[in-house]
């Protein structure tokens, strides 16, 4: 949190108003010596004088004192990951209450509030009671609204709009989600087609390393976006095995070419999981089991050691630097235990009922269950 900056503020405000220490002292009803001590940091005014000073300078008391409850990036990271770890091992309501107290304390620190929104969105499902889950989502929506209305950082506001849209979807408010995101995510907008513009600018400015780093990040993100979109393409066309088969073949080729299963941070796992569901729906048991093997192996790999923090290889060698600069750092947004529990639960999908007599499928489930017990 920033320290009070009253002495500098009172000097600046007095100079802006073009008055002397004596004139200010006369207005407030103190001695000139008192004003001098305020400005040199030797003392602070009595609490009852603060409203008078704030009114005189037409500022809030917080502005007068220079009080802004702000957290550094490092502090935000620590609080987030401490709370994420707590959600994995402590009663949900206790951790939720602790996070709400943080919100009250840092209600004007919008980068922090945004990360709390991310935290709640990643953990609300841990509340066993559906009513509690819905309550958390509504609190999350309200917090998003507070950020969008009051935060002056356009980037944070737009990211918060996306978070609130995700909340709307979980609350069944699809129309609100569409209205909020349709224009922001419109592929016809220049912002979504302007990567090459910045790359050219870097090259013309003789900043080749910047151009290289940004290009790698752009390629990496677009590859992952393509795979994420393919997951939904499989869902949309789940009744058409021909389209799904072509989609799976093409995305599998892409994953293999760029070796994305090693560091895509879950994008490929989601794809293989959805592919397994589609194959199961069409009773293609061998293919379904093959996809589940890939899914299980990738999740196991990600949760081993520090692989969840790995985002590069010999080709995408500049990507890690970009991830290191994220607000939450390279640590995953959910604790490994929470991720693994979700992974175990994913095998209960009704689509896999056609595999219940398949030995390879049962073997995968047994291995997954044993690893889950070790957490």
């Amino acid at each position: 949190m920033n320290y009070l900056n009253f002495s500098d503020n009172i000097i600046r405000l007095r100079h802006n108003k073009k008055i002397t220490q004596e004139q200010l002292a006369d207005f407030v009803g103190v001695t000139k010596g008192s004003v001098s001590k305020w400005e040199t940091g030797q003392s602070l005014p009595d609490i009852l004088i603060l409203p008078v000073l704030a009114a005189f300078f037409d500022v809030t008391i917080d502005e007068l004192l220079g009080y802004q409850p702000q957290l550094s990036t490092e502090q935000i990271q620590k609080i987030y990951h401490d709370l994420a770890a707590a959600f994995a091992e402590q009663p949900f309501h206790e951790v939720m209450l602790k996070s709400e107290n943080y919100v009250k304390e840092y209600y004007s620190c919008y980068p922090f509030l945004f990360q709390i929104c991310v935290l709640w969105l990643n953990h609300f499902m841990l509340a066993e009671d559906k009513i509690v889950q819905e309550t958390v989502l509504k609190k999350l929506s309200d917090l998003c609204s507070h950020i969008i209305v009051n935060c002056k950082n356009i980037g944070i506001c737009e990211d918060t709009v996306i978070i609130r849209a995700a909340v709307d979807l979980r609350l069944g408010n699809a129309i609100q989600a569409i209205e909020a995101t349709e224009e922001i995510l419109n592929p016809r907008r220049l912002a979504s087609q302007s990567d090459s513009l910045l790359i050219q600018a870097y090259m013309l400015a003789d900043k080749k390393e910047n151009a290289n780093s940004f290009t790698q990040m752009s390629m990496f993100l677009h590859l992952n976006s393509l795979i994420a979109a393919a997951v939904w393409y499989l869902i949309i066309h789940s009744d058409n095995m021909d389209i799904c088969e072509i989609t799976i073949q093409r995305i599998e080729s892409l994953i293999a070419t760029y070796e994305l299963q090693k560091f895509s941070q879950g994008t490929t796992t989601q794809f293989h999981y959805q592919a397994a569901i589609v194959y199961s729906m069409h009773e293609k048991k061998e293919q379904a089991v093959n996809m589940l093997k890939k899914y299980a192996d990738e999740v196991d790999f990600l949760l081993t050691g520090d692989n969840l923090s790995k985002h590069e290889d010999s080709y995408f060698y500049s990507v890690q630097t970009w991830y290191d600069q994220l607000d939450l750092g390279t640590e995953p947004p959910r604790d490994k235990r929470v991720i693994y529990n979700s992974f175990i639960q994913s095998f209960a999908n009704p689509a896999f009922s056609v595999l219940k007599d398949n030995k390879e499928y049962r073997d995968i489930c047994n291995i997954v269950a044993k690893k889950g017990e070790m957490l």
Side-chain angles (χ1 to χ4, degrees):
M1 181 185 294
N2 291 343
Y3 291 102
L4 299 183
N5 200 27
F6 175 76
S7 58
D8 289 342
N9 284 342
I10 202 74
I11 293 172
R12 174 179 54 80
L13 292 168
R14 183 172 63 78
H15 287 173
N16 288 345
K17 212 167 181 66
K18 298 180 180 178
I19 61 172
T20 65
Q21 289 183 343
E22 189 171 4
Q23 287 174 310
L24 177 59
D26 288 342
F27 180 85
V28 178
V30 298
T31 65
K32 178 185 174 186
S34 294
V35 175
S36 177
K37 287 181 178 180
W38 298 344
E39 295 189 354
T40 56
Q42 297 179 56
S43 67
L44 288 171
D46 184 274
I47 191 170
L48 296 177
I49 295 177
L50 293 178
V52 179
L53 286 169
F56 179 71
F57 289 118
D58 194 21
V59 295
T60 66
I61 292 178
D62 280 355
E63 290 171 325
L64 179 69
L65 293 173
Y67 173 76
Q68 285 187 305
Q70 300 297 308
L71 293 166
S72 67
T73 299
E74 292 74 19
Q75 289 172 317
I76 292 173
Q77 288 179 12
K78 185 178 187 311
I79 293 174
Y80 182 100
H81 293 302
D82 284 350
L83 289 171
F87 270 124
E89 59 186 23
Q90 297 176 19
F92 178 85
H93 69 278
E94 291 182 9
V95 186
M96 187 65 195
L97 180 60
K98 187 182 299 184
S99 67
E100 288 180 283
N101 288 335
Y102 274 121
V103 168
K104 293 176 183 177
E105 186 173 359
Y106 301 107
Y107 201 55
S108 63
C109 182
Y110 299 108
F112 174 69
L113 295 184
F114 173 76
Q115 297 304 339
I116 288 292
C117 290
V118 174
L119 179 81
W120 288 354
L121 187 60
N122 277 311
H123 295 88
F124 80 93
M125 70 292 296
L126 297 181
E128 295 182 3
D129 191 315
K130 296 294 183 183
I131 296 177
V132 175
Q133 290 184 10
E134 185 173 331
T135 299
V136 173
L137 288 173
K138 289 179 179 177
K139 288 181 178 179
L140 173 48
S141 181
D142 290 342
L143 186 55
C144 285
S145 296
H146 166 68
I147 296 171
I148 293 167
V149 170
N150 297 287
C151 181
K152 296 179 181 178
N153 185 307
I154 296 175
I156 291 177
C157 288
E158 289 194 347
D159 287 346
T160 305
V161 168
I162 301 299
I163 294 291
R164 189 170 64 179
V167 174
D168 281 332
L169 283 179
R170 285 161 177 77
L171 290 173
N173 303 325
I175 298 301
Q176 289 93 317
I178 291 172
E179 292 174 347
T181 60
E182 198 167 30
E183 188 56 35
I184 292 176
L185 302 178
N186 190 331
R188 294 190 298 272
R189 294 184 65 177
L190 289 178
S192 64
Q193 307 170 35
S194 303
D195 286 9
S196 61
L197 184 66
L198 182 55
I199 296 169
Q200 290 178 62
Y202 278 139
M203 292 298 289
L204 285 173
D206 197 26
K207 295 186 175 183
K208 187 175 181 180
E209 185 51 43
N210 295 80
N212 173 68
S213 178
F214 181 79
T215 303
Q216 282 196 29
M217 196 66 234
S218 177
M219 293 167 63
F220 181 75
L221 290 177
H222 283 304
L223 284 169
N224 279 278
S225 293
L226 175 58
I227 297 171
V231 171
W232 285 104
Y233 205 61
L234 290 178
I235 294 172
I236 293 168
H237 296 287
S238 59
D239 60 342
N240 188 326
M241 196 62 231
D242 289 338
I243 292 179
C244 288
E245 198 76 72
I246 294 172
T247 302
I248 293 170
Q249 289 173 3
R250 293 187 178 188
I251 297 299
E252 282 286 77
S253 177
L254 186 71
I255 292 172
T257 298
Y258 286 94
E259 300 181 338
L260 294 173
Q261 72 279 6
K262 295 181 180 179
F263 59 99
S264 65
Q265 301 306 293
T267 308
T268 60
T269 63
Q270 293 171 18
F271 177 77
H272 288 136
Y273 180 69
Q274 189 58 44
I277 291 175
V278 169
Y279 278 133
S280 296
M281 289 173 60
H282 291 269
E283 299 193 15
K284 290 181 174 288
K285 300 179 183 180
E286 182 179 349
Q287 293 94 324
V289 169
N290 182 47
M291 288 296 159
L292 281 174
K293 281 182 180 178
K294 292 184 178 184
Y295 169 62
D297 287 345
E298 287 169 7
V299 173
D300 187 56
F301 172 77
L302 285 174
L303 296 179
T304 301
D306 62 351
N307 289 324
L308 268 173
S309 301
K310 181 182 178 183
H311 300 84
E312 66 180 6
D313 65 357
S314 59
Y315 184 74
F316 289 113
Y317 58 86
S318 291
V319 170
Q320 188 67 41
T321 301
W322 187 85
Y323 274 96
D324 289 341
Q325 297 171 353
L326 292 176
D327 289 340
L328 291 181
T330 57
E331 291 297 312
R334 294 188 293 169
D335 186 88
K336 285 185 179 182
R337 288 164 292 184
V338 175
I339 297 174
Y340 221 116
N341 287 335
S342 177
F343 168 55
I344 293 170
Q345 293 170 13
S346 69
F347 279 83
N349 192 304
F352 300 141
S353 60
V354 299
L355 303 175
K356 62 183 180 180
D357 297 325
N358 185 287
K359 182 180 182 304
E360 288 183 285
Y361 172 71
R362 293 201 304 271
D363 289 343
I364 295 172
C365 291
N366 290 333
I367 292 172
V368 168
K370 287 179 180 178
K371 289 184 177 179
E373 292 171 359
M374 295 169 60
L375 295 176

